[in-house]
Amino acid sequence: MNYTNPIRSLFTAAGVVMPVSVEAHLNLIDKTVDAALDLALSADNAGCSGELTVVDSKQMCDLTDLLNQVRDTPVEVFETGAPCLAVGLTIRDRFGEAVDTSSMPIPVGQVTHVFDLVSDLVIDKRLGRTVDDHVQSLTDCMIDYGVVQKPAEKLTPAHSGTAVIKVTLNTENGVQDAYMASATDSEGKGILVNFDQIKSSGTVFSAEGYMPDVNRYGFAEWATQKGLVDLVGRLGLTPNLMASEIKNSGDDTEVITLVMRVPVTAVYEGSLSEAKEFAGLHWGKLFESLPASEQVDVVNRFVSAMNGVDS
């Protein structure tokens, strides 16, 4: 039975996360009270009266052991060295609208630090002073405390730079689909691409791959220079084709890889699993349950978020 509910309720009402050691200590107290009651009942069941008291010897030993544990077991009130508050966080979509909430334990000292920074920001804002330093300090502490993720390192040092990437189109059933493509950087490392961003700024300058068996399927339209330019245009990309190397596979194999130069902010060196985890944690979205168009949108938003780009 739980005899320590008032203590637990006190933590909950204060918004304080129950430390593991305190939880264990309260459970030990509950167990001790149960053992004491069992011992008392064993005496009653033995029909004790007057000065004669008969109890179960094993239950007496068990109770003694529990009492010694309650007395001797050290309790670290807060494992982190400071009390933690259960802080409610708002999850927002790309338009800044609140879509969900989550909760995480944050040490009181960190919460106090944030309030200090915010109060300094408010005062300087009222006085017409610049608040850039305060905003940067808030950003830094949010990253240090793990409330928001640090933007990933860019593929090139300059934020405004470009990167050469290779996008292998999905050609299932003869459909050239950039959205369902796999992409790598110039060194062959897997990357994620914000296709919305490269549509307006990506430049395709070469292509390579294999077209299906000509004798069976005929000459693929995209295998010609004009056909390839048309394909690139239909994908919403800017063609600036300088060379192409398209070979006849001799079987059903169909591979089209576009080599393009894109803004470095449109790519992120990572895997789809990262985008899935991010979508669930920050946007409350189960990636696998989304239709294809929304999955593309999630990847686009994730790449932008990792590169600190408004989307």
Side-chain angles (χ1 to χ4, degrees), residues 171-236:
T171 57
E172 185 178 356
N173 299 322
V175 178
Q176 288 79 49
D177 186 357
Y179 287 115
M180 295 294 104
S182 61
T184 66
D185 63 12
S186 58
E187 298 178 354
K189 296 178 182 178
I191 58 174
L192 298 177
V193 179
N194 183 332
F195 282 100
D196 279 350
Q197 191 174 352
I198 68 173
K199 271 187 176 183
S200 60
S201 53
T203 300
V204 180
F205 59 83
S206 70
E208 54 194 42
Y210 295 90
M211 60 181 171
D213 185 4
V214 174
N215 294 326
R216 182 176 181 181
Y217 298 102
F219 203 81
E221 179 183 358
W222 53 264
T224 66
Q225 186 80 356
K226 181 181 181 304
L228 198 53
V229 169
D230 290 342
L231 171 62
V232 170
R234 288 198 301 273
L235 295 175

Side-chain angles (χ1 to χ4, degrees), residues 89-101 282-285 301 311:
L89 300 176
T90 301
I91 299 174
R92 301 182 183 277
D93 62 17
R94 60 175 175 168
F95 304 109
E97 299 293 334
V99 295
D100 202 352
T101 59
H282 293 273
W283 302 322
K285 291 181 177 292
R301 291 166 58 187
S311 59

